[in-house]
């Protein structure tokens, strides 16, 4: 079996999880489930980033020790995972000893090799971003952009990692490995960024300025810069399992691609003599009225509210169906309801209802064998073949939204087939030909449904499971033979009904409106 290792970014614990964090988990889970269906041995890691200035400041504000603060907020991030039906194999916290041990070992190794040096540094520092700024970061009027918060000039001795000397190597690497970053246009942006000379990276913070971090193994007066610590989580979690590390793929948001994941990370690994990940998938942002959802702007939605109202699968479906991986999407309740009603309730829900209902009424709940194939059956089957042929390549290219669109188109045609074939009319006829067609149509509906939900199982796993159960069907573990049109359901006993995606309660406003 082929290994496949997939990670999410690790979230800062300075605030509660929001829709952006939930999306990244759902997207990564979709990829993990997809790879499992393809037969890969998947290892899925997620976790939290607990060190650094932001966390220290948030704990101080709450008046509790940073470790206690991290314990509380991390528990919240962790609790979100089962609510979203995330199938992670591991959850890492950067305050865990297993992680700190690896960070110290890598630092010591780089120090011993002369990749890290001490120097005096004078410069402008942004506390909010925890980074030194350069002249080119200034706005044309000489001020600093809002995102840096308060900027002060400081002089201090620090440790630096020799990033600059790897610039040419990185350009070469990215030029040779064209598909390292998805989407491809992001890789071009990284190469564009690398046209400017890199500076060495300051990887320490004096303890008097920041206490909450991993001590440098070669100088206790300093703690490790939070990004140098955090990036290593992907490696520290599997340090004893090289076969997993060899297949690493990182899912992250576009805001943390350049420079951390596309520049610091490959160079850190190269310098430490560790092999590079296979790929980076950089997704876009969920916006609200055009602005990035975030803790600091206060426009973030709580994913749990939507899960409570609509259910986990509807929430997962919306996120994956709506977002083209890499691009941004605006989140609106209206659009959520459109997808919920017109796709999940009407297209999928309808086919489920019709299949169960008619099979119960006309053949005693037993799925009949198909007997004839006429133009209508043929047409649907041909659409299936086309859908199936496109499906796996679309998912392999992270085009999950288009793959779901194809499934919906197939469901639309399956519903149209029911109307045209009209088993409810055929059932009334005593003609043997009509009876054979009626039985064929029930078999065709059930088979279409089975195939459609098989293609949704990485996105809506419990719905697929429920529908398989009411179809009296136990699926195999991979898609290899699942996604083949056939007679797997012949003779299966279906349930009478299944309630899926009920109409949501009308908004309070409408309920409270005075009667005309
Ligand atoms: N701690 C760092 C990551 C370290 S990875 C070694 C961090 N944390 S974060 O909490 O700010 O963000 C975690 C992830 O959530 C990032 O990949 C980020 O892009 C993603 N999102 C945060 N807000 C988002 C949206 N509004 N939309 C989609 N994802 C966004 O950065």
């Amino acid at each position: 079996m082929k290994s496949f290792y997939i990670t999410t970014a690790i979230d800062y614990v300075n605030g509660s999880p929001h829709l952006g964090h939930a999306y990244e988990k759902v997207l990564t889970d979709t990829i993990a489930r997809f790879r499992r269906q393809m037969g890969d041995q998947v290892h899925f890691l997620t976790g939290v980033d607990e060190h650094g200035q932001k966390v220290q400041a948030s704990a101080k504000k709450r008046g509790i020790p940073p470790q206690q603060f991290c314990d509380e907020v991390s528990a919240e991030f962790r609790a979100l995972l089962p609510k979203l039906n995330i199938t992670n194999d591991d959850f890492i916290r950067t305050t865990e000893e297993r992680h700190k041990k690896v960070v110290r070992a890598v630092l010591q190794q780089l120090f011993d090799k002369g990749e890290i040096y001490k120097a005096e540094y004078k410069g402008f520092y942004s506390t909010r971003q925890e980074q030194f700024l350069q002249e080119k970061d200034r706005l044309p009027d000489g001020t600093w952009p809002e995102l840096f918060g308060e900027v002060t000039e400081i002089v201090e001795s620090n440790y630096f990692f020799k990033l600059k000397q790897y610039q040419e190597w990185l350009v070469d690497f990215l030029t040779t490995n064209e598909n390292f970053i998805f989407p491809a246009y992001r890789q071009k942006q990284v190469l564009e960024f690398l046209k400017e000379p890199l500076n060495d990276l300051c990887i320490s913070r004096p303890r008097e300025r920041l206490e909450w971090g991993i001590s440098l193994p070669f100088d206790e007066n300093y703690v490790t810069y939070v990004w140098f610590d955090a990036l290593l989580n992907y490696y520290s979690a599997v340090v004893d399992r090289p076969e997993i590390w060899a297949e690493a793929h990182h899912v992250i948001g576009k805001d943390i691609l350049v420079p951390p994941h596309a520049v610091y990370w490959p160079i850190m690994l190269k310098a430490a003599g560790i092999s590079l990940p296979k790929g980076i998938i950089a997704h876009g942002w969920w916006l609200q009225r055009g602005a990035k959802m975030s803790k600091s702007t206060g426009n973030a939605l709580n994913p749990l509210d939507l899960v409570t109202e609509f259910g986990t699968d509807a929430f997962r479906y919306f996120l994956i169906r709506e977002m083209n991986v890499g691009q941004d999407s605006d989140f609106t309740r209206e659009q959520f309801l459109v997808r919920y009603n017109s796709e999940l309730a009407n297209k999928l829900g309808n086919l489920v209802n019709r299949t169960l209902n008619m099979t119960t009424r006309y053949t005693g709940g037993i799925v009949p064998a198909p007997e004839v194939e006429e133009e209508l059956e043929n047409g649907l089957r041909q659409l299936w073949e086309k859908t199936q042929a496109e499906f796996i390549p679309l998912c392999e290219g992270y085009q999950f939204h288009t793959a779901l669109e194809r499934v919906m188109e197939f469901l639309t045609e399956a519903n149209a087939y029911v109307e045209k074939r009209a088993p409810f009319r055929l059932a009334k006829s005593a003609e043997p030909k009509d009876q054979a067609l009626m039985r064929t149509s029930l078999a065709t509906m059930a088979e279409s449904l089975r195939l459609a939900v098989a293609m949704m199982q990485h996105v809506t796993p419990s719905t697929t499971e429920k529908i398989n159960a009411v179809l009296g069907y136990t699926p195999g573990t991979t898609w290899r033979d699942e996604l083949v049109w056939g007679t797997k359901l012949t003779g299966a006993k279906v349930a009478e009904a299944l309630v899926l995606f009920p109409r949501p309660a009308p908004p309070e406003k409408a309920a409270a409106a005075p009667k005309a």
Side-chain angles (χ1 to χ4, degrees):
M1 245 193 223
K2 193 177 157 300
S3 280
F4 186 85
Y5 178 33
I6 186 108
T7 66
T8 68
I10 49 172
D11 302 319
Y12 285 129
V13 293
N14 59 330
S16 296
H18 61 65
L19 188 106
H21 302 125
Y23 169 68
E24 192 171 283
K25 309 294 176 299
V26 171
L27 172 63
T28 311
D29 189 61
T30 298
I31 300 172
R33 288 177 185 266
F34 168 72
R35 297 303 334 173
R36 281 191 209 107
Q37 285 296 123
M38 296 296 286
D40 290 358
Q41 175 78 46
V42 173
H43 188 76
F44 174 2
L45 173 75
T46 184
V48 278
D49 189 352
E50 302 191 314
H51 290 128
Q53 191 79 42
K54 289 186 210 181
V55 175
Q56 179 172 295
S58 304
K60 196 163 164 213
K61 221 160 120 195
R62 281 267 309 278
I64 56 175
Q67 188 63 57
Q68 186 189 338
F69 178 78
C70 288
D71 290 349
E72 282 176 23
V73 187
S74 294
E76 232 187 293
F77 274 91
R78 200 173 202 149
L80 179 66
L81 301 170
K83 299 250 159 59
L84 301 175
N85 208 348
I86 303 298
T87 54
N88 57 302
D89 299 285
D90 194 1
F91 184 90
I92 193 163
R93 300 177 56 181
T94 53
T95 52
E96 286 173 275
E97 197 46 43
R98 61 165 170 160
H99 172 71
K100 295 199 267 192
K101 205 169 71 187
V102 172
V103 173
R104 287 198 204 100
V106 170
L107 281 165
Q108 187 66 53
Q109 187 208 345
L110 292 175
F111 186 71
D112 294 344
K113 273 176 73 186
E115 302 276 350
I116 290 173
Y117 63 92
K118 194 173 185 185
E120 187 147 279
Y121 191 87
K122 180 169 174 233
F124 290 96
Y125 187 78
S126 151
T127 315
R128 187 185 294 170
Q129 296 300 329
E130 290 174 51
Q131 74 184 66
F132 281 100
L133 305 177
Q134 291 162 28
E135 283 307 317
K136 68 171 174 17
D137 294 321
R138 286 188 196 265
L139 292 171
D141 68 1
T143 62
W144 300 102
E146 177 61 32
L147 94 146
F148 295 124
E150 194 194 341
V151 175
T152 43
E153 192 171 22
I154 53 178
V155 183
E156 62 185 32
S157 282
N158 264 310
Y159 287 90
F160 290 82
F161 169 53
K162 293 183 179 169
L163 206 67
K164 200 174 10 192
Q165 63 178 3
Y166 288 100
Q167 179 154 5
E168 227 172 277
W169 166 80
L170 184 59
V171 170
D172 266 6
F173 173 80
L174 291 172
T175 318
T176 338
N177 296 276
E178 274 183 7
N179 300 320
F180 184 63
I181 298 166
F182 176 88
Y185 59 82
R186 293 262 172 238
Q187 180 137 341
K188 293 210 179 81
Q189 284 172 3
V190 179
L191 283 166
E192 214 36 53
F193 175 86
L194 288 169
K195 284 188 176 151
E196 292 292 319
L198 285 176
N199 290 312
D200 286 347
L201 178 66
C202 178
I203 53 138
S204 64
R205 297 293 181 264
R207 201 168 266 290
E208 64 266 21
R209 188 148 63 73
L210 176 69
E211 264 186 48
W212 189 236
I214 302 177
S215 299
L216 292 184
F218 42 83
D219 191 340
E220 287 288 318
N221 296 318
Y222 291 86
V223 300
T224 312
Y225 169 47
V226 68
W227 270 107
F228 199 95
D229 156 2
L231 286 162
L232 279 163
N233 90 88
Y234 305 131
Y235 179 68
S236 67
V238 295
V239 70
D240 299 323
R241 301 167 76 180
E243 72 291 354
I244 293 182
W245 172 252
E247 299 300 329
H249 295 77
H250 307 309
V251 177
I252 56 163
K254 64 178 187 181
D255 49 323
I256 55 171
L257 180 67
V258 190
H261 282 85
V263 180
Y264 304 161
W265 185 225
I267 294 182
M268 282 163 66
L269 292 168
K270 170 76 182 160
I274 303 169
S275 67
L276 263 60
K278 282 273 162 76
I280 298 176
I281 299 130
H283 63 74
W285 288 339
W286 282 98
L287 313 172
Q288 259 206 325
R289 278 169 235 104
K292 181 191 179 211
M293 254 187 229
S294 76
K295 291 172 274 226
S296 49
T297 44
N299 65 348
L301 289 177
N302 182 347
L304 291 178
D305 293 345
L306 290 157
V307 166
T308 309
E309 190 176 358
F310 297 100
T312 301
D313 276 3
F315 177 69
R316 290 173 59 110
Y317 178 81
F318 178 75
L319 296 183
I320 300 300
R321 172 75 180 89
E322 192 65 18
M323 184 81 113
N324 178 342
V325 178
Q327 292 173 20
D328 296 345
S329 269
D330 216 69
F331 187 96
T332 67
R333 194 181 166 83
E334 291 71 36
Q335 183 63 2
F336 191 105
L337 286 172
V338 166
R339 297 267 183 229
Y340 183 91
N341 288 323
S342 76
E343 299 183 359
L344 292 176
N346 291 349
K347 293 189 164 87
L348 179 59
N350 245 349
L351 189 63
V352 172
N353 290 339
R354 288 163 147 179
T355 306
L356 300 185
N357 189 319
M358 293 185 201
T359 311
T360 302
R361 281 167 67 181
Y362 307 138
T363 54
I366 304 294
V367 179
E371 293 166 51
V372 270
E373 188 166 307
E374 293 192 350
E375 210 182 313
L376 278 181
E377 285 74 26
N378 219 336
L380 188 59
R381 172 106 171 233
Q382 272 168 12
L383 178 65
W384 157 255
E385 299 298 344
K386 193 169 158 274
T387 307
Q388 192 261 12
E390 286 177 30
F391 175 72
I392 293 199
L394 280 170
C395 294
E396 277 176 329
Y398 308 115
Q399 301 297 293
F400 296 111
H401 67 301
T402 312
L404 286 177
E405 189 180 1
R406 296 286 178 274
V407 176
M408 286 301 139
E409 285 161 6
F410 175 65
L411 282 168
T412 305
E413 275 314 299
N415 279 306
Y417 165 81
V418 180
E419 268 138 48
K420 287 186 216 144
R421 182 51 89 207
F424 34 89
R425 266 202 297 278
L426 295 167
K428 290 188 196 133
S429 156
E431 288 291 318
K433 164 96 199 304
D434 287 345
Q435 287 292 317
L437 266 180
M438 182 274 286
R439 288 192 293 272
T440 299
S441 70
L442 296 183
T444 307
M445 286 157 68
E447 185 62 356
S448 303
L449 184 57
R450 180 187 75 80
L451 291 164
V453 298
M455 290 190 294
M456 292 173 74
Q457 82 99 52
H458 52 314
V459 183
T460 57
S462 358
T463 302
T464 297
E465 207 179 300
K466 279 188 211 155
I467 295 175
N468 280 331
V470 294
L471 286 177
Y473 178 62
T474 312
T477 48
T478 70
W479 266 324
R480 197 151 306 142
D481 51 22
E482 281 309 292
L483 297 187
V484 180
W485 185 293
T487 53
K488 287 186 196 300
L489 292 175
T490 304
K493 172 87 172 95
V494 307
E496 284 179 23
L498 172 68
V499 179
L500 282 173
F501 310 113
R503 296 251 161 223
E508 276 163 42
K509 220 170 40 199
K515 289 207 170 76

